Amino acid sequence: MAWDEWEQIKAEVAQKQATSMQLNRVAPDPGQGSGGAAPDLVVHDDQLGKLGNMAYDLRERLTVDGDLARPSTFKASIDLFNDGLDMGSALTALHDAWNTKSGTLKEACAHISNHLDFTRAQHAKDEEHVVTGMRNATGDLMTVSRINDYYAPKSAEA
């Protein structure tokens, strides 16, 4: 890109910014399925709970099903090694790699499950704080009608 083109593009962008306003978001793209005012990400508490349970169930299944062949694989690797076959040490390496990878996968599932549980609990605490924690300048709890006074249009009092 030539320097003149760069300067021209900068001038065009500056001209557009001078005539328009954008508030911390990109205008919705009709092709993306966004309805304009609808939020991009909405997650409901029950969905988080279901996802967390799925991650926990997967971890439990991996703990049982992922370990079925471990004892016999290890015994076979020892027997092959004792018989003087190099395949025994290769099978031991495979056995160890499988244990490492399955352990990592189980930890990831546990992390996902725990994180979703934490997220649900933290969100509930935040909601409780917002619902019950609005206070005025003196520190007293504000009633809903008092909060509405701040947002209701003021009538002309003169």
Side-chain angles (χ1 to χ4, degrees), residues 18-142:
T19 60
S20 65
M21 179 172 51
Q22 181 177 339
L23 300 175
N24 285 339
R25 69 176 187 92
V26 176
D29 182 6
Q32 298 297 320
S34 176
D40 291 337
L41 176 64
V42 175
V43 179
H44 300 284
D45 189 57
D46 60 335
Q47 291 172 332
L48 289 177
K50 288 177 186 176
L51 290 171
N53 287 339
M54 288 171 61
Y56 178 80
D57 292 343
L58 179 59
R59 183 194 180 284
E60 293 302 306
R61 285 185 23 227
L62 283 169
T63 300
V64 174
D65 297 342
D67 202 38
L68 288 176
R70 186 189 55 77
S72 58
T73 302
F74 187 70
K75 183 180 180 329
S77 69
I78 297 299
D79 290 345
L80 289 169
F81 182 78
N82 288 339
D83 288 341
L85 298 172
D86 291 338
M87 190 167 45
S89 60
L91 192 55
T92 301
L94 175 69
H95 169 270
D96 295 345
W98 174 260
N99 283 340
T100 301
K101 298 298 181 189
S102 64
T104 301
L105 186 56
K106 289 187 285 189
E107 286 177 20
C109 290
H111 180 75
I112 290 168
S113 177
N114 291 342
H115 180 71
L116 291 173
D117 287 344
F118 173 80
T119 300
R120 291 176 68 203
Q122 188 62 43
H123 179 69
K125 288 178 189 174
D126 292 345
E127 282 295 310
E128 180 70 19
H129 177 72
V130 168
V131 169
T132 61
M134 292 202 64
R135 299 180 182 275
N136 62 17
T138 62
D140 298 325
L141 284 175
M142 295 174 61

